[in-house]
Amino acid sequence: MEENELFIEESRAFFDPHKKILFAMVCFAAAIFLWFCQLRLEDAKLASRIAPEILRFHVIANSNSKEDQDLKLQVKSFLLEKIYQENQSAESPDKNKLVSYLAENQKRLEQETEQFIQKAGKSYPVSIKVVQCEFPEKYYGDLRLPAGLYETAQVRIGEGLGHNWWCVLYPRVCITKDALAVIPESSKKELEALLSSEDFTALKAERPAIHIDFRFLQIFKHSAESRQSVTEPVLRSR
């Protein structure tokens, strides 16, 4: 008798609808986690393939004050115009030539940027270096660059403790205007020529929108309530 009661209790525990709901939720969360891990892995592989062909641009403000943030955008525009103007006559511009230009003209560019800042009413030192830098996923018009480690022309203003601004210096995806809605077709073609057709297509592909529907939980809940109503005794008034 005791064995039968124990078997019944174990059966009830096994078929407990609440445990089924919990198990389903755990499986669902695990599937979402594995899906995100797969996306991150694919992005990391893509970034490692395209990074050797790309030079990013990274400007870090002195602080997050409105004045320093406005100055950051002014410095960004000043340097982009100068860099592009001084390299537009190159017969066959490429990433290596641009990196060499930045190294050879580092001190001059730093001094001219500091003078520009002084004219704006501030006195901050400026550091311009080509470094390896981690970037988050970023959209430029209809192109998406995956998160990863990229060679970067990094501009640090003053203490460099403020929010930053970034883009792609080579190929020329950086635009001096603050808002960029469309990347010039010439820049797209230049980038397309540097990458494999598969990788360039991957940069243009939009990620699927994620919509999580929890209606299945309502179904499980309704099922659990139905089972409970069947097994519980009905009290009737006399």
Side-chain angles (χ1 to χ4, degrees):
M1 185 69 178
E2 292 181 356
E3 291 183 357
N4 290 336
E5 291 178 353
L6 180 61
F7 175 77
I8 293 173
E9 290 297 326
E10 290 178 348
S11 299
R12 287 178 178 175
F14 180 78
F15 291 105
D16 185 353
H18 293 89
K19 290 186 176 180
K20 284 186 177 181
I21 294 174
L22 179 61
F23 179 73
M25 292 177 65
V26 171
C27 291
F28 180 74
I32 292 295
F33 175 76
L34 292 174
W35 182 67
F36 273 111
C37 287
Q38 181 62 27
L39 288 180
R40 291 293 299 273
L41 180 61
E42 292 175 0
D43 270 2
K45 291 179 179 179
L46 177 60
S48 67
R49 292 195 301 270
I50 69 174
E53 308 297 336
I54 291 174
L55 181 64
R56 305 291 290 263
F57 190 60
H58 188 204
V59 184
I60 309 173
N62 176 69
S63 74
N64 287 328
S65 70
K66 186 179 185 307
E67 288 184 349
D68 283 348
Q69 287 297 310
D70 290 343
L71 180 63
K72 173 193 69 178
L73 297 178
Q74 295 173 34
V75 168
K76 173 263 299 184
S77 297
F78 170 77
L79 278 173
L80 285 179
E81 290 179 3
K82 178 171 286 294
I83 292 171
Y84 285 141
Q85 282 180 359
E86 294 183 357
N87 287 273
Q88 65 182 357
S89 60
E91 294 182 0
S92 56
D94 60 31
K95 176 184 172 180
N96 292 332
K97 289 182 178 179
L98 192 53
V99 170
S100 297
Y101 159 83
L102 291 170
E104 294 169 2
N105 296 276
Q106 177 186 355
K107 295 300 182 184
R108 177 178 64 83
L109 290 172
E110 289 174 347
Q111 291 174 358
E112 292 181 0
T113 305
E114 289 173 357
Q115 292 171 2
F116 174 82
I117 291 175
Q118 288 175 359
K119 291 179 181 178
K122 295 288 185 179
S123 180
Y124 294 139
V126 173
S127 170
I128 302 176
K129 296 179 180 179
V130 176
V131 298
Q132 294 289 328
C133 186
E134 283 283 352
F135 278 77
E137 178 186 69
K138 194 72 177 175
Y139 282 85
Y140 300 100
D142 58 351
L143 292 181
R144 179 188 69 87
L145 290 188
L149 188 66
Y150 293 87
E151 195 167 16
T152 309
Q154 188 177 81
V155 181
R156 187 179 296 272
I157 305 171
E159 296 183 3
L161 299 177
H163 293 315
N164 52 86
W165 185 92
W166 41 50
C167 69
V168 181
L169 190 59
Y170 181 83
R172 185 175 176 172
V173 174
C174 283
I175 305 297
T176 55
K177 296 179 180 178
D178 292 338
L180 172 61
V182 179
I183 296 175
E185 286 299 321
S186 58
S187 299
K188 288 184 183 180
K189 290 181 180 179
E190 193 171 6
L191 182 60
E192 185 176 10
L194 294 170
L195 307 177
S196 68
S197 58
E198 293 81 4
D199 287 345
F200 183 73
T201 300
L203 297 184
K204 295 177 65 178
E206 294 184 3
R207 283 199 170 183
I210 301 174
H211 176 68
I212 301 176
D213 195 338
F214 289 97
R215 281 182 296 177
F216 76 96
L217 294 179
Q218 298 176 2
I219 295 174
F220 276 112
K221 183 179 179 181
H222 177 71
S223 176
E225 291 174 348
S226 298
R227 288 174 179 270
Q228 188 175 8
S229 64
V230 171
T231 56
E232 287 183 350
V234 178
L235 300 179
R236 297 183 180 179
S237 59
R238 293 182 180 179

